[in-house]
Amino acid sequence: TSLNSEGFDKDQNYRNFISREFSIITPENALKLTHVQPYESVFNFTEADAVVRFDADHGIQVRGHCFAWYRSIPSWVYKYEQLPDKLHSILVSYIHRTVVHYRKDFPNVIRYWDVVNEAFEDNGTTRMGKLWDKIGATPQDYIEIAFRAAHEADPDLVLFYNDYGSEEINAKSDAIYAYIRSLKAKNVPIHGVGFQMHLHGDRKYDFESIQKNFSRFAKLGLVI
């Protein structure tokens, strides 16, 4: 489940519910760049640590979420919008500092990370005009950079690409599949793909298509 960490340390009923019902949780926002590095010279893991410490104490695994997203970027980063090399160093530094912090202070609690989140539009094109896509020669270069940085910081992590609206075989899932296959061909350390499953009760789904879609990703050697 996605866990809202705001006020988590003060809401005992919420904490009791989490400890009783779940064996793995994903902090909704606490590990994102806006929360971890709110100012250029400040790394602050206090909010995330409270969640991770609670989960460690209760034997709950944490799924880290997420390093590179087109949202949840603090305002100070945008002053470097026209400096791709600086953006590159900001992203890699954030990934390294975060991974190393949890590897050392909470060993084996966060073994899974959503490295890149929602990098594709519904029509299968890359999200354009966003901050991270200014890194490198193509708008997708930051994806490979992020995966390599996370693996470098901790080679034992299981690293995921994550997205929504790609559960069925469609333009978006086709694009994600083709891109991940290209990453695998270049030996980029990507180990899984996450499907957010934003399903709605009033919509019909093609579950056969979902099954076939998951199967083709699994055949790439990916954890689903």
Side-chain angles (χ1 to χ4, degrees):
T1 184
S2 175
L3 184 148
N4 187 337
S5 56
E6 185 176 349
F8 178 75
D9 57 333
K10 300 180 181 65
D11 190 338
Q12 189 60 48
N13 288 333
Y14 190 31
R15 291 157 67 90
N16 290 342
F17 176 73
I18 293 296
S19 65
R20 184 177 69 247
E21 300 293 342
F22 295 97
S23 59
I24 183 168
I25 63 94
T26 302
E28 182 179 13
N29 293 309
L31 289 166
K32 292 172 181 171
L33 182 58
T34 300
H35 293 248
V36 170
Q37 196 177 359
Y39 306 101
E40 185 169 1
S41 59
V42 175
F43 278 83
N44 184 357
F45 295 103
T46 303
E47 181 182 354
D49 281 359
V51 174
V52 175
R53 184 175 293 107
F54 174 85
D55 293 327
D57 290 344
H58 290 83
I60 300 171
Q61 182 74 53
V62 178
R63 181 189 181 94
H65 177 85
C66 57
F67 289 129
W69 190 32
Y70 69 98
R71 299 172 64 184
S72 197
I73 300 173
S75 58
W76 66 266
V77 179
Y78 285 89
K79 69 181 180 181
Y80 300 113
E81 192 168 3
Q82 304 305 322
L83 299 173
D85 289 346
K86 181 63 176 179
L87 292 176
H88 179 285
S89 67
I90 290 169
L91 179 61
V92 170
S93 173
Y94 156 55
I95 293 172
H96 279 185
R97 288 284 293 270
T98 304
V99 169
V100 170
H101 172 76
Y102 287 102
R103 186 188 70 198
K104 289 183 175 179
D105 290 7
F106 300 92
N108 299 314
V109 178
I110 306 182
R111 305 313 309 150
Y112 311 94
W113 270 99
D114 291 331
V115 177
V116 178
N117 194 53
E118 300 175 358
F120 290 85
E121 301 281 8
D122 288 346
N123 63 7
T125 61
T126 306
R127 288 190 187 277
M128 299 294 289
K130 305 300 180 183
L131 194 68
W132 300 129
D133 66 20
K134 301 180 187 303
I135 299 173
T138 77
Q140 293 177 330
D141 282 356
Y142 78 92
I143 299 175
E144 180 176 343
I145 288 166
F147 274 97
R148 292 194 185 281
H151 181 71
E152 182 180 51
D154 186 349
D156 293 328
L157 292 178
V158 181
L159 306 177
F160 285 79
Y161 174 79
N162 189 63
D163 218 318
Y164 67 92
S166 54
E167 291 79 18
E168 298 174 343
I169 294 177
N170 53 32
K172 189 172 193 175
S173 64
D174 283 347
I176 294 170
Y177 175 80
Y179 184 68
I180 292 180
R181 186 171 57 183
S182 75
L183 293 181
K184 297 281 286 184
K186 292 191 290 184
N187 294 317
V188 175
I190 178 170
H191 310 116
V193 58
F195 298 93
Q196 290 184 32
M197 302 299 288
H198 292 180
L199 305 184
H200 301 272
D202 58 354
R203 181 190 151 190
K204 291 184 178 180
Y205 294 92
D206 185 342
F207 290 104
E208 183 178 353
S209 178
I210 293 174
Q211 185 179 36
K212 289 180 179 178
N213 188 39
F214 286 7
S215 179
R216 66 173 173 168
F217 280 95
K219 288 177 181 177
L220 291 178
L222 297 167
V223 179
I224 305 300

